[in-house]
Amino acid sequence: MLSRPTSPPISKGLEIKKLILQGFNSFKHLKHLHAHLLRFGLCHDNYLLNMILRCSFDFSDTNYTRFLFHQIKQPNIFLWNTMIRGLVSNDCFDDAIEFYGLMRSEGFLPNNFTFPFVLKACARLLDLQLGVKIHTLVVKGGFDCDVFVKTSLVCLYAKCGYLEDAHKVFDDIPDKNVVSWTAIISGYIGVGKFREAIDMFRRLLEMNLAPDSFTIVRVLSACTQLGDLNSGEWIHKCIMEMGMVRNVFVGTSLVDMYAKCGNMEKARSVFDGMPEKDIVSWGAMIQGYALNGLPKEAIDLFLQMQRENVKPDCYTVVGVLSACARLGALELGEWVSGLVDRNEFLYNPVLGTALIDLYAKCGSMSRAWEVFKGMKEKDRVVWNAIISGLAMNGYVKISFGLFGQVEKLGIKPDGNTFIGLLCGCTHAGLVDEGRRYFNSMYRFFSLTPSIEHYGCMVDLLGRAGLLDEAHQLIRNMPMEANAIVWGALLGACRIHRDTQLAELALKQLIELEPWNSGNYVLLSNIYSANLKWDEAAKVRLSMNEKRIQKPPGCSWIEVDGIVHEFLVGDKYHPLSEKIYAKLDELTKKMKVAGYVPTTDFVLFDIEEEEKEHFLGCHSEKLAIAFGLISATPTAVIRVVKNLRVCGDCHMAIKLISSITGREITVRDNNRFHCFREGSCSCNDYW
């Protein structure tokens, strides 16, 4: 007579449970324990099997988990819920919905643990049809008062763009918790209703609910999108009152908000006060400096990050490369790019674009082209970067050819593509081509020209001397002209000395940005160039009365990986004596070559000899002289200036390039100038 198999001792079940609760150090360890469970005949213990299932999802091996589940003879609702939850947590949304269907076909009814995860899968897949069916089951099953189920429905409708329905469900939740409020706030953010999201956050606080870090991060992102510094500062005060300022995620979001709203002092204050900083915090601060025109600060902070042994990520490197590009710091940029695997640049379009931009803005188009050719994935942003880079460096016809390739490849150009093309036309003075590209935007590509495109056209027409056409274009624009558009016209008036039209442009500019000294200075220069000293004096007097100061001319040059800064008339550099001696030497050689200082570009009505002195110590000339005595004889002299290069300096640098046989690139706040053998790639001074 056969004896009946004895049931496994209870102690074995308890022992396995204890081992499971201790956790697993590897997937192999988990499978080993699963084998023990089978060996001791515990394969029908749904409680232990559920624990094994939950732990197996931690290793992201859903294939093994599915195999394990299908071996179970009689899975209960808890095991089905564990599978659906685990698949959703591993972003296997289609599989989660498939398991939900299998569960229903097996006759199981979903419960309040099933619905939130299935609805999350529907939301992520934007499967509103299935979501609505599940909503019906929720009501039929009597779960429509469950806060977690209803919150999942809010997320579903909001994610699928049905915000009105989401709000109806939200309003029907009898006892709303923070998660419910965060869901509706996120819904508003998802459809671009940032102001409404901030208003909902105010209501949350009025309900005396304490928001969690995720809610704070979301509402700060709404402030960032709006550029709403006032609301951001109010939320910052709330964060301090709630004692959440030490949270690394909240702190990083504050840094990002202040940086993108242009308040770098506040951003740095929050950053310095963070007790714990991760790479995202460092990256937000570095990118903030780069985006707000503070490249030197971005690089200094990156070097501090290096000293603290924080490994940079992709976005931090992009921020630093952007700062290096702005300063013309090619050597430093190449060192930074060396901190990342070269293949990352070739496979990551964001990194690749940043490297192309660095080389292009430093005048090294051959290396920019090499990066572009080597990239494995070329999206529209990458194509835009190389087209703009080529146009900026004077290779305008090649950039036009690349645009033709973009069309052949079926990549739809965007507004940035045409900004690159139009800037190239402006750079080379190609008026007809500029008109053709501008008109083709809407006619052939269904793109509505933005104010930036109108600004490019005004700049192109104005520089070509077609001031009336440029002015007429401004009048016919479908939107109000901004400071960029009027500034382009004013710049053209300066080149062609049209004082009357310049006055008109200046009135508009003063209305738009009364704090900008550049507008006053430009008009004063025009008056000075036409010997209208009284009018020029009135402009200067107006600046003084309004306490508007012209920022000093400042230029940067990189030598041996170190960025050196020069101000106009600077005598603080350790090599000042040698720099001025070199300038004197160059001036003598230039005069022999026929150079006569163009004193029309000096603002004040002073003696000719004194004017020549002022021109001689412009910051870009000092930087070039320093480069000539410090850099290797074959190195390209790369200078970046914060203001526009004046006409005299432009002429002088041409001669210096010819006399020394050196390639000199100067990028100012207006355009890129590349001087080779006494000629310049741009038509800035036609």
Side-chain angles (χ1 to χ4, degrees):
M1 182 176 173
L2 291 171
S3 62
R4 199 172 167 185
T6 58
S7 59
I10 296 173
S11 60
K12 284 296 178 185
L14 291 173
E15 183 185 335
I16 290 174
K17 179 183 175 183
K18 184 181 176 182
L19 289 169
I20 293 171
L21 290 172
Q22 286 175 356
F24 302 97
N25 52 31
S26 68
F27 188 51
K28 186 177 179 182
H29 184 199
L30 181 141
K31 292 204 291 189
H32 182 69
L33 196 59
H34 181 209
H36 270 290
L37 188 142
L38 297 173
R39 181 183 170 192
F40 291 114
L42 295 167
C43 53
H44 301 293
D45 190 324
N46 281 350
Y47 176 76
L48 291 176
L49 286 167
N50 197 36
M51 293 179 74
I52 291 280
L53 275 178
R54 288 175 65 180
C55 292
S56 66
F57 276 117
D58 292 339
F59 293 99
S60 301
D61 191 331
T62 58
N63 290 327
Y64 182 79
T65 311
R66 272 179 267 204
F67 167 76
L68 195 159
F69 179 82
H70 288 305
Q71 300 305 308
I72 300 169
K73 302 294 182 185
Q74 293 181 320
N76 58 19
I77 187 65
F78 300 106
L79 288 165
W80 283 104
N81 284 346
T82 296
M83 281 302 296
I84 292 168
R85 175 186 176 182
L87 289 167
V88 170
S89 300
N90 281 275
D91 296 340
C92 301
F93 305 114
D94 286 307
D95 295 332
I97 287 173
E98 182 189 336
F99 260 82
Y100 171 73
L102 286 171
M103 186 189 87
R104 296 284 291 124
S105 66
E106 291 289 328
F108 285 93
L109 289 172
N111 60 21
N112 56 331
F113 291 100
T114 319
F115 287 125
F117 290 103
V118 181
L119 286 168
K120 183 178 180 180
C122 292
R124 294 296 291 271
L125 293 171
L126 302 178
D127 191 345
L128 183 65
Q129 189 176 1
L130 178 59
V132 170
K133 288 179 182 177
I134 292 170
H135 191 175
T136 307
L137 274 178
V138 167
V139 176
K140 285 180 179 177
F143 295 106
D144 54 329
C145 289
D146 186 291
V147 65
F148 296 103
V149 175
K150 293 296 281 284
T151 299
S152 299
L153 284 166
V154 171
C155 290
L156 168 74
Y157 286 117
K159 192 83 175 173
C160 292
Y162 289 79
L163 199 61
E164 193 175 326
D165 295 295
H167 218 300
K168 284 178 184 175
V169 176
F170 175 79
D171 288 338
D172 285 340
I173 300 174
D175 189 17
K176 302 175 183 69
N177 59 17
V178 171
V179 181
S180 314
W181 283 94
T182 305
I184 196 68
I185 288 168
S186 298
Y188 276 118
I189 291 170
V191 296
K193 294 189 174 183
F194 306 113
R195 180 62 59 202
E196 289 85 345
I198 295 169
D199 291 340
M200 290 300 287
F201 180 74
R202 289 181 192 274
R203 283 180 57 192
L204 180 155
L205 294 180
E206 287 166 5
M207 300 293 292
N208 292 320
L209 287 170
D212 59 17
S213 60
F214 183 72
T215 319
I216 297 286
V217 168
R218 295 299 286 145
V219 77
L220 281 172
S221 75
C223 297
T224 302
Q225 291 291 336
L226 286 172
D228 186 353
L229 186 59
N230 290 333
S231 292
E233 288 177 327
W234 164 68
I235 293 167
H236 188 182
K237 286 177 185 174
C238 295
I239 291 166
M240 292 175 74
E241 288 169 9
M242 291 183 286
M244 294 180 68
V245 75
R246 296 174 68 84
N247 182 293
V248 65
F249 302 109
V250 171
T252 302
S253 296
L254 276 170
V255 168
D256 187 59
M257 183 274 296
Y258 279 125
K260 286 177 179 169
C261 289
N263 193 330
M264 288 310 298
E265 285 183 22
K266 281 277 185 76
R268 187 59 189 258
S269 175
V270 174
F271 179 80
D272 288 340
M274 290 174 67
E276 180 191 347
K277 301 178 184 75
D278 60 13
I279 185 56
V280 183
S281 318
W282 286 94
M285 195 68 209
I286 288 167
Q287 286 216 336
Y289 276 135
L291 289 170
N292 282 282
L294 299 165
K296 206 163 185 308
E297 288 82 350
I299 289 168
D300 289 343
L301 189 63
F302 178 75
L303 295 174
Q304 181 186 331
M305 189 186 95
Q306 287 287 292
R307 289 192 293 272
E308 295 189 23
N309 295 317
V310 181
K311 188 178 179 183
D313 65 357
C314 159
Y315 298 102
T316 312
V317 170
V318 167
V320 183
L321 289 178
S322 172
C324 291
R326 193 176 179 92
L327 285 173
L330 181 59
E331 289 179 46
L332 185 59
E334 289 192 312
W335 172 75
V336 171
S337 69
L339 299 174
V340 180
D341 189 319
R342 194 70 178 178
N343 284 327
E344 288 247 15
F345 288 96
L346 302 181
Y347 285 92
N348 185 328
V350 177
L351 273 173
T353 300
L355 195 56
I356 290 169
D357 187 56
L358 169 75
Y359 285 133
K361 284 180 177 170
C362 290
S364 183
M365 273 316 298
S366 58
R367 278 181 277 186
W369 182 251
E370 282 173 22
V371 174
F372 173 76
K373 281 201 304 182
M375 289 188 68
K376 308 302 177 188
E377 185 185 335
K378 297 184 181 81
D379 61 12
R380 184 168 57 198
V381 180
V382 174
W383 282 95
N384 286 352
I386 196 68
I387 287 170
S388 296
L390 286 163
M392 181 198 310
N393 281 271
Y395 303 102
V396 180
K397 293 294 174 73
I398 300 174
S399 72
F400 293 167
L402 281 186
F403 177 68
Q405 284 190 39
V406 167
E407 291 183 89
K408 285 178 185 175
L409 290 168
I411 299 170
K412 188 180 178 186
D414 63 4
N416 289 330
T417 317
F418 282 95
I419 285 173
L421 292 168
L422 291 173
C423 285
C425 293
T426 305
H427 200 93
L430 302 172
V431 176
D432 291 336
E433 286 84 346
R435 286 196 191 105
R436 192 177 74 247
Y437 281 123
F438 182 77
N439 293 329
S440 72
M441 284 183 68
Y442 184 77
R443 194 177 299 165
F444 299 118
F445 300 100
S446 301
L447 292 170
T448 303
S450 69
I451 199 157
E452 287 82 10
H453 299 105
Y454 280 98
C456 289
M457 282 304 296
V458 169
D459 195 24
L460 171 62
L461 295 168
R463 287 176 186 277
L466 303 170
L467 295 174
D468 290 336
E469 186 180 342
H471 188 206
Q472 191 61 44
L473 183 64
I474 294 175
R475 286 177 175 172
N476 296 336
M477 279 169 54
M479 71 283 284
E480 286 292 319
N482 64 5
I484 294 170
V485 174
W486 285 111
L489 184 64
L490 188 62
C493 292
R494 171 190 178 279
I495 295 169
H496 299 287
R497 301 187 180 186
D498 189 328
T499 311
Q500 189 176 353
L501 191 55
E503 285 182 87
L504 172 67
L506 186 65
K507 284 177 185 175
Q508 300 294 329
L509 281 165
I510 289 173
E511 208 172 299
L512 290 165
E513 42 180 35
W515 40 265
N516 189 339
S517 65
N519 303 327
Y520 299 88
V521 172
L522 198 50
L523 183 65
S524 185
N525 280 345
I526 292 167
Y527 284 142
S528 299
N530 285 286
L531 306 179
K532 294 183 178 181
W533 304 113
D534 290 339
E535 286 89 339
K538 284 176 186 175
V539 174
R540 295 199 302 274
L541 181 62
S542 176
M543 287 178 70
N544 291 334
E545 287 173 351
K546 294 176 182 177
R547 296 183 178 180
I548 297 168
Q549 291 186 338
K550 175 182 177 290
C554 181
S555 295
W556 297 274
I557 182 170
E558 180 196 39
V559 175
D560 296 330
I562 298 169
V563 177
H564 298 259
E565 183 178 77
F566 291 90
L567 296 172
V568 60
D570 197 339
K571 292 191 177 178
Y572 292 102
H573 195 279
L575 296 179
S576 274
E577 277 190 37
K578 291 184 178 179
I579 290 168
Y580 279 94
K582 185 67 177 178
L583 271 180
D584 287 342
E585 176 196 323
L586 288 168
T587 302
K588 288 173 185 174
K589 289 181 179 179
M590 286 192 293
K591 285 184 175 178
V592 170
Y595 166 68
V596 177
T598 314
T599 54
D600 286 351
F601 291 102
V602 181
L603 176 62
F604 303 107
D605 180 18
I606 51 181
E607 295 301 318
E608 292 297 308
E609 190 178 337
E610 198 175 347
K611 285 182 183 179
E612 289 188 29
H613 168 72
F614 273 97
L615 288 170
C617 55
H618 278 186
S619 62
E620 59 268 50
K621 287 178 180 171
L622 295 172
I624 289 167
F626 171 71
L628 290 170
I629 63 175
S630 303
T632 56
T634 55
V636 176
I637 307 294
R638 295 185 177 87
V639 175
V640 175
K641 186 175 181 181
N642 66 331
L643 303 176
R644 183 191 180 102
V645 172
C646 78
D648 177 76
C649 284
H650 193 274
M651 192 182 304
I653 298 167
K654 265 190 189 181
L655 283 170
I656 292 171
S657 169
S658 177
I659 290 164
T660 60
R662 300 289 285 271
E663 183 178 333
I664 301 170
T665 67
V666 182
R667 198 174 77 250
D668 62 16
N669 70 343
N670 189 60
R671 62 185 36 227
F672 189 89
H673 312 265
C674 185
F675 302 89
R676 296 185 186 96
E677 298 175 2
S679 64
C680 182
S681 63
C682 76
N683 286 323
D684 196 17
Y685 295 91
W686 301 336

